[in-house]
Amino acid sequence: SSMPPTIINPTTTRTVAKFFKSSTSRREGLSLYREILRTTKAFHWCDERGVPWNQRLRLEARKEFESSKEETDPLIIARMLVTGRDCIQEVQKRFNEADRAAWERIERDSQRR
């Protein structure tokens, strides 16, 4: 027994496109969220109130993602994902530069002794 032919009409195409967009955005959003959580692990010092920065950053990220959860406009979602990705890459870059500078200072100081 063979399967009947699949009929593709504009409605099913739109539904499939909508599902693909939303599942892709969801996957990208989760990937970005995980990347943010991984990045926050490096921030182990405390703020002026004694709250560890990694906790504070995780809470802020969670709030941002929660507040954006209901967004349905694909352009706005794409913009948020691109902005989030750019921000996290900038944070990582600056952190790595500061870390490298700190290690260079430690290296210079240890050579003076």
Side-chain angles (χ1 to χ4, degrees), residues 70-109:
E70 303 303 318
E71 185 56 62
T72 56
D73 185 330
L75 286 175
I76 293 174
I77 293 170
R79 191 177 306 134
M80 288 189 295
L81 289 168
V82 167
T83 302
R85 189 65 66 191
D86 286 348
C87 287
I88 198 66
Q89 286 173 348
E90 185 63 27
V91 166
Q92 289 168 340
K93 184 178 138 210
R94 287 182 182 192
F95 184 87
N96 290 336
E97 288 168 356
D99 192 49
R100 195 173 313 111
W103 280 109
E104 286 169 3
R105 276 194 308 278
I106 290 169
E107 185 67 31
R108 276 195 310 273
D109 290 349

Side-chain angles (χ1 to χ4, degrees), residues 23-42:
S23 66
T24 301
S25 296
R26 180 174 168 72
R27 197 167 50 248
E28 286 177 28
L30 285 170
S31 170
L32 176 60
Y33 188 68
R34 285 190 202 104
E35 183 70 21
I36 290 168
L37 294 182
R38 276 192 296 274
T39 301
T40 61
K41 286 180 183 177

Side-chain angles (χ1 to χ4, degrees), residues 42-56:
F43 293 81
H44 46 79
W45 56 92
C46 295
D47 67 6
E48 60 281 352
R49 293 173 304 178
V51 179
W53 270 103
N54 54 17
Q55 282 180 16
R56 201 168 148 188

